[in-house]
Amino acid sequence: LRSDVSTDEKVDKINQFNDDNKSNFTFINKTGDEEKKQNLLVCLLELLASASPADSLVILRAIRLLGRDPFALEPLKEEKYLRTIVEKSQLGTDFSDSDANESGMEACKCLVNVCVQNIKNPEVFDLFYDPLNLPDLCIDAFQREDLPDGFYFPLLRFYLQYSGRHEKTQELSRKRNLLIELFRIVEKHAGRYEEEEARLALLDALSLTFVFSQHLGPLEGQKEPTSEELEGFKRIIPILQKFLALPIDNSKTQEIVSGAIKVMINVPAACTDDFEHEKTLRDLLGFLVMKLQACEVEDNISPADLTPVLLILTSISKAVPASRVIIKDTLLPGWRDFEPQKNMVDPPKQLEDKSTIGYKLLYCMTCSNPGLYHYSSELLFNLCDEDGDEFVRIVGIGKGAGILANRGLLANFASKMNRPTIPQNVTEEDVKEWQSLMERLEKYNKGQGQ
């Protein structure tokens, strides 16, 4: 690339590199070649600066391949080289040059790699914001109804990776009302989820919609929505309803269901009646049961999938008392016959089977993830009409100690346990379990004090 051979010969050599490495990234794992990779990237960037759209496409594909290796991307921490990529991205243009658009899409994919490889490098993220002005350029592109399809996925992926880690970009997004454009993008891609790139764009648009609607939901204090926000949610609620009913035995559609549930967290109260209540409850329960059945308690319970649906079911159980029996029948079959064991400390015998949904829900109540712990406990407490006695009958004091303490009910049950009705045949194992429970409570109370 540094020789005097023609540009065509150089591009042919780059094409060969792309063909050799498009599915086999063995060069990434080679140690000791960092300087060589960086030199190659600099050569490619210098050639890219004056390349035609067709040649730019070939060069950018090679840059994207190199972008799989964080060491190779070191030169792209410099503004002049980043600017070369941005200038080739077509951002800031009217996207009317179809030849340049193809290489522009590839440049946007390169920006995704640069972003991902520099997540812990705030200097590069600051360059994106100023002087390169990338967030504004992305929002300008999202606002165009004639944006070519191939730009949506890389731009949404870049914005999702970038905005979540850059506070100024979050402020800019709210100021420029990005949420309204995201509603339109979800609508645009809603019927195309069987196309791979459209599906990926849809997933990222749903994730961004969740992020930039949090001011309307319970996680940030539920501010009053604007008329535009209300109208946008009313447009996408039928789409979310359709997504909830997608097959959940298929991993690709399952991801869409999960994305839709996250967006539902922030639906304003004024729009909730737009959902079909019985169908929505049935689909949410089906998703939760599927996720709990699929996980092995000790190693792969997924808070990212479970917490949103637990949160929504908690809200439903609070707002619609009639839903509580339906939810209990689904998650805790046989609950009417439950009785706690070991002087009310242990859960009912029916929940000892590790394969049951109820056992896994109780596991969530004592897990280390704060969101999962909180919403699984809140859901079960609400399902018991916030009645402490009924709650203890369903889960036992041991698993429910945290929420009972939060509600100021734990001392009441401790006194009940100390009454003379306690069985006389207390075993050494009973004593150990009681001591373990007391130790947990002591740690909990110390934590609350701090």
Side-chain angles (χ1 to χ4, degrees), residues 331-351:
L331 303 181
L332 302 164
W335 61 273
R336 292 170 181 82
D337 300 322
F338 284 5
E339 287 296 336
Q341 304 181 86
K342 303 279 183 67
N343 194 22
M344 301 192 295
V345 173
D346 286 357
K349 189 172 182 61
Q350 295 92 322
L351 301 183

Side-chain angles (χ1 to χ4, degrees), residues 1 7 10-11 14 42-52 59:
L1 295 178
T7 300
K10 292 178 181 180
V11 171
I14 297 169
V42 169
C43 290
L44 291 169
L45 288 163
E46 289 172 349
L47 190 59
L48 177 66
S50 57
S52 67
I59 297 166

Side-chain angles (χ1 to χ4, degrees), residues 120-297:
K120 296 182 179 179
N121 191 339
E123 291 82 6
V124 174
F125 273 40
D126 287 341
L127 282 177
F128 284 151
Y129 189 84
D130 182 25
L132 295 175
N133 202 29
L134 264 175
D136 261 320
L137 292 173
C138 287
I139 296 174
D140 289 344
F142 293 144
Q143 288 176 335
R144 298 188 67 94
E145 294 192 16
D146 61 347
L147 181 68
D149 278 355
F151 281 97
Y152 279 104
F153 167 60
L155 288 181
L156 288 164
R157 178 58 54 91
F158 170 81
Y159 211 86
L160 180 61
Q161 294 289 336
Y162 178 57
S163 61
R165 298 172 175 86
H166 197 260
E167 192 172 330
K168 287 183 179 179
T169 299
Q170 295 171 23
E171 293 171 4
L172 175 71
S173 304
R174 287 188 281 268
K175 182 178 179 182
R176 294 200 56 185
N177 219 1
L178 175 61
L179 181 60
I180 305 306
E181 305 308 323
L182 292 170
F183 288 141
R184 184 182 59 77
I185 293 169
V186 169
E187 289 179 281
K188 179 181 177 70
H189 291 83
R192 298 173 50 204
Y193 57 82
E194 292 183 355
E195 304 168 31
E196 183 62 12
E197 192 155 302
R199 183 183 69 86
L200 294 172
L202 174 62
L203 287 171
D204 287 348
L206 288 169
S207 295
L208 283 165
T209 301
F210 165 68
V211 169
F212 289 109
S213 62
Q214 287 193 33
H215 61 290
L216 305 174
L219 303 178
E220 287 189 10
Q222 291 181 306
K223 295 180 182 175
E224 283 296 314
T226 65
S227 58
E228 274 188 301
E229 289 169 339
L230 270 178
E231 194 269 334
F233 266 111
K234 284 184 172 292
R235 290 201 321 269
I236 69 163
I237 282 175
I239 294 171
L240 299 177
Q241 187 85 68
K242 176 184 172 184
F243 287 164
L244 281 181
L246 289 173
I248 51 177
D249 57 354
N250 176 304
S251 61
K252 291 185 176 181
T253 50
Q254 191 184 118
E255 287 179 330
I256 297 172
V257 178
S258 182
I261 289 172
K262 289 182 177 73
V263 174
M264 286 174 62
I265 291 173
N266 299 327
V267 170
C271 299
T272 53
D273 282 342
D274 290 17
F275 285 99
E276 299 173 46
H277 291 183
E278 290 183 14
K279 188 174 185 305
T280 301
L281 179 57
R282 184 179 70 244
D283 290 338
L284 288 169
L285 286 170
F287 182 83
L288 177 59
V289 168
M290 179 275 299
K291 281 293 179 184
L292 287 171
Q293 283 177 337
C295 66
E296 295 295 332
V297 169

